[in-house]
Amino acid sequence: MSERIHVVVIGGTSGIGRHVAETFARRGCDVVITGRAEDRAKGVAHEIGGHTRGLGLDLTAPEQIPAALAEVRKVDRLVLTALQRDHNTVREYRPADATRVLTMKLTGYTTVVHALAPRMSDGSSAVLLGGLAMHRPYPGSTTVTTANGGISALVRTLVTELAPIRFNALHPSLVADTPYWSDKPHVWEAVKARTPTGRLVTMEDCTDAITFLLENPSINGVNLSIDGGELLV
């Protein structure tokens, strides 16, 4: 029997991250998920089942990340999906909230890769989660748009510095069946109306795209938008 694939999902306790973790657990992979609260991460890992473990990890405290990930010995697939929402306009700017988001998404993500890179092999791969706000900003998206643009740039430098490990990013439109958006039809109906496919992005769509980015050996340095053609209109 071949050795199990080792998958680490940063932010795997809910939403897209949990969906990704569940998918790889069903495939028999060795899965580690992280969440800000260790008890919750372990509880969700138990719910997912299979060979799944939960670890506590706070991306807003980068200096603590290497120790928090010390138990992870091998990484074949790394998925960074943790996010922090921030409705923050320039005219009413809250620097502390912006700093928290940017620290988590950019410094935190980079520190995770720094900590885990020695446990990745030449055949390992990673996907970072950004978002369509990078291309389609909206009032109050200043921090989120900046963070997602940073993810786009970060992928390129990771590919360069850590070759031949592959790094890609996924930038989804509004994902309607995530816990945050599922009860806000007044918002996602407007997105649906302007999307050429007439349907919204789902967590399954995102997981399929993440799996493709992780497993296709020729895909590297790609920032993939998944939006049903929304950016075209």
Side-chain angles (χ1 to χ4, degrees), residues 63-145:
E63 67 282 356
Q64 299 175 14
I65 289 175
L69 295 173
E71 295 180 23
V72 179
R73 300 300 180 189
K74 182 179 180 182
V75 184
D76 299 309
R77 305 285 181 258
L78 173 61
V79 184
L80 297 109
T81 65
L83 57 82
Q84 177 88 31
R85 301 188 183 278
D86 180 41
H87 184 83
N88 204 344
T89 67
V90 176
R91 292 186 185 280
E92 299 177 351
Y93 197 55
R94 302 184 309 279
D97 291 344
T99 297
R100 180 178 177 84
V101 172
L102 294 171
T103 297
M104 186 206 77
K105 197 79 171 183
L106 300 179
T107 307
Y109 273 27
T110 307
T111 306
V112 168
V113 175
H114 159 76
L116 294 181
R119 299 160 226 179
M120 302 175 80
S121 68
D122 288 355
S124 296
S125 58
V127 171
L128 289 64
L129 187 69
L132 212 65
M134 175 179 70
H135 297 299
R136 190 187 282 276
Y138 52 85
S141 76
T142 295
T143 306
V144 175
T145 296

Side-chain angles (χ1 to χ4, degrees), residues 18-74:
R18 177 166 180 163
H19 196 279
V20 169
E22 290 171 339
T23 299
F24 279 100
R26 286 196 299 268
R27 292 171 57 175
C29 298
D30 185 316
V31 179
V32 173
I33 65 171
T34 75
R36 280 191 291 266
E38 183 176 5
D39 289 347
R40 173 165 166 74
K42 289 182 175 180
V44 172
H46 179 74
E47 292 171 5
I48 293 173
H51 306 281
T52 306
R53 294 183 292 146
L55 299 176
L57 178 70
D58 185 354
L59 290 174
T60 65
E63 67 282 356
Q64 299 175 14
I65 289 175
L69 295 173
E71 295 180 23
V72 179
R73 300 300 180 189
K74 182 179 180 182

Side-chain angles (χ1 to χ4, degrees), residues 19 30 35 61 63 91 93 97 111 119 126 140 158 160-161 168 197 214 226 230 233:
H19 196 279
D30 185 316
E63 67 282 356
R91 292 186 185 280
Y93 197 55
D97 291 344
T111 306
R119 299 160 226 179
L158 292 175
T160 302
E161 291 197 15
N168 297 288
T197 58
L214 288 172
I226 177 171
E230 181 189 347
V233 296

